[in-house]
Amino acid sequence: MKKVLLTGGAGYIGSHICLELVQHGYTPVVVDNFRASNRRIIERTQQLAGAPFPVHELDCRDTVGLRAVLEHEVGITGAIHLAAHKSVGVSVKQPREYYDNNLGSLLSLLAALETSSVEHLVFSSSCTVYGQPKRVPVTEESPIERAESPYGRTKQMCEAILDDAVAAAPLQVVTLRYFNPVGAHPSGLIGELPLGKPETLVPYITQTAAGLRTELTVFGSDYPTRDGTCVRDYLHIVDLAAAHVAALGWLERRGPGSFNEVFNLGTGAGVSVLEAIAAFEQASGTKLRYRLGPRRAGDAIEVYADASKARRELGWQARLGILDAMRDAWRWQQNIARGL
Ligand code: UD1
């Protein structure tokens, strides 16, 4: 069994990747500091996987600790690096912490990989690197504008660090730029657990429908879009997870050489906020309380992916749509209410 180091493996995206890895014959070796993740999630992931896999409680900035994991877990052939802070709002208030954690984790991982035989790395980036795109759909060649937040800038800087790293040493990197990951595992057993009040749309919708929030505010209804609200590319978390396995397979098939190859991960379809609400109402059979409010500072008007490169090269494409995502997010929300 090939082992894959998975940093941030106990989080929302990481737990779903664990399942995909196991289903495709890999053993995940999870490294997580459990500051933003919950132990119950990883226990449930192991139950769903039907097999225990190693979990190391460790901060990625601890290079000595990472080296020990790489030495101890014989047979690791690749790494997937997710461990990072991800809140746009918090990053504005705590920029130093964001740069320290997000850049520090990557630099520490690179240092640990240097002294190991692992040369395959999948890096978790974001469409946030495109800032306010001038044209949609966004391709991998779309210009990289200055990101809107310290969080976004950490992703841009990490990508630049990887470009420099592959120029200096043998390392094969796939950078995946996620559009908007949403939904939950169809079992209803794992999903997103926002810390405090959600900043992102889908958890806010499901928490409102569950009665935890009074109403959803739609941030802006006067944008130059088909219904006046912002458009995004909502990608089901199970599809997103599957792309990481496709990326590992692609790395394994590639010949020698060092590179950092970038792929957009999205459905290719734009969905407005009002369309997302309608999809939730249809999928859940409930009415959502919402009101049209002012714009949120820094929001891009319309962002959706041209994901044709991932389809062509990785053989990956999204199979699930916004209705599936809303159905699964709602099932998960109802299960959280029953207790983890
Ligand atoms: C999110 C992330 C960003 C990440 C990007 C792609 C946050 C705040 N933003 O941004 O870091 O790079 O996905 O993964 O974490 N909306 C409302 N009401 C709400 C919440 C959101 O109307 O209460 C609207 C927003 O204005 C936006 C859309 O819903 O138009 C989606 O918002 P959100 O889920 O925050 O995603 P992004 O803005 O794309």
Side-chain angles (χ1 to χ4, degrees):
M1 279 269 250
K2 285 178 282 191
K3 290 186 186 170
V4 176
L5 183 74
L6 182 58
T7 75
Y12 170 45
I13 296 174
S15 53
H16 290 83
I17 293 177
C18 284
L19 288 180
E20 287 291 325
L21 286 172
V22 171
Q23 280 162 18
H24 289 85
Y26 294 92
T27 300
V29 175
V30 169
V31 164
D32 203 294
N33 65 6
F34 288 96
R35 270 174 61 192
S37 45
N38 187 302
R39 280 180 194 287
R40 281 292 292 139
I41 296 285
I42 203 75
E43 286 163 17
R44 286 193 176 175
T45 307
Q46 290 179 324
Q47 277 167 22
L48 280 169
F53 47 78
V55 178
H56 298 266
E57 179 167 355
L58 186 71
D59 191 302
C60 247
R61 286 169 291 186
D62 177 354
T63 314
V64 174
L66 276 182
R67 284 207 173 105
V69 171
L70 285 162
E71 272 166 35
H72 172 76
E73 299 282 359
V74 180
I76 293 182
T77 55
I80 300 175
H81 181 52
L82 309 175
H85 290 329
K86 62 173 183 182
S87 161
V88 172
V90 178
S91 81
V92 174
K93 295 190 189 98
Q94 300 174 9
R96 192 198 53 73
E97 167 64 22
Y98 266 64
Y99 288 113
D100 189 336
N101 188 51
N102 292 8
L103 304 186
S105 292
L106 176 64
L107 291 169
S108 168
L109 175 65
L110 289 173
L113 293 182
E114 249 171 43
T115 51
S116 80
S117 58
V118 177
E119 291 184 4
H120 291 168
L121 172 63
V122 178
F123 175 66
S124 153
S125 190
S126 165
C127 68
T128 195
V129 300
Y130 297 115
Q132 301 261 2
K134 294 204 173 56
R135 281 215 193 125
V136 282
V138 180
T139 73
E140 290 81 359
E141 276 70 50
S142 295
I144 301 292
E145 306 281 336
R146 182 180 151 88
E148 293 283 331
S149 68
Y151 159 74
R153 285 192 280 283
T154 67
K155 290 294 176 190
Q156 292 180 334
M157 289 175 189
C158 284
E159 290 197 10
I161 289 169
L162 288 168
D163 287 340
D164 292 340
V166 300
L171 184 65
Q172 301 192 321
V173 181
V174 164
T175 288
L176 299 176
R177 291 182 181 150
Y178 310 157
F179 282 64
N180 291 57
V182 292
H185 193 263
S187 64
L189 290 175
I190 59 169
E192 189 172 10
L193 277 181
L195 296 171
K197 193 166 153 187
E199 283 184 16
T200 49
L201 181 65
V202 175
Y204 209 102
I205 288 179
T206 57
Q207 288 196 6
T208 304
L212 300 172
R213 314 269 157 215
T214 327
E215 64 177 3
L216 171 83
T217 303
V218 175
F219 296 144
S221 53
D222 59 350
Y223 285 104
T225 59
R226 51 185 171 265
D227 61 18
T229 65
C230 291
V231 170
R232 295 288 183 274
D233 188 335
Y234 298 97
L235 177 62
H236 197 294
I237 188 74
V238 171
D239 280 332
L240 176 68
H244 293 73
V245 177
L248 285 175
W250 183 83
L251 283 167
E252 287 159 12
R253 291 192 300 276
R254 284 285 294 231
S258 287
F259 52 81
N260 177 17
E261 196 72 35
V262 176
F263 295 94
N264 282 343
L265 295 184
T267 64
V271 171
S272 75
V273 178
L274 291 179
E275 287 163 354
I277 293 171
F280 174 79
E281 291 183 332
Q282 189 186 332
S284 66
T286 65
K287 273 270 163 227
L288 189 75
R289 284 175 64 96
Y290 70 91
R291 72 179 175 88
L292 303 180
R295 294 180 176 194
R296 176 171 73 176
D299 260 341
I301 302 170
E302 193 166 17
V303 190
Y304 58 93
D306 178 332
S308 55
K309 184 179 173 192
R311 189 173 65 237
R312 224 171 31 244
E313 302 230 1
L314 304 180
W316 170 90
Q317 64 182 28
R319 304 195 177 282
L320 302 165
I322 187 77
L323 272 175
D324 304 294
M326 291 301 191
R327 181 199 62 220
D328 294 333
W330 180 229
R331 184 187 298 114
W332 165 240
Q333 179 68 54
Q334 290 171 296
N335 283 348
I336 311 176
R338 295 189 193 106
L340 268 184

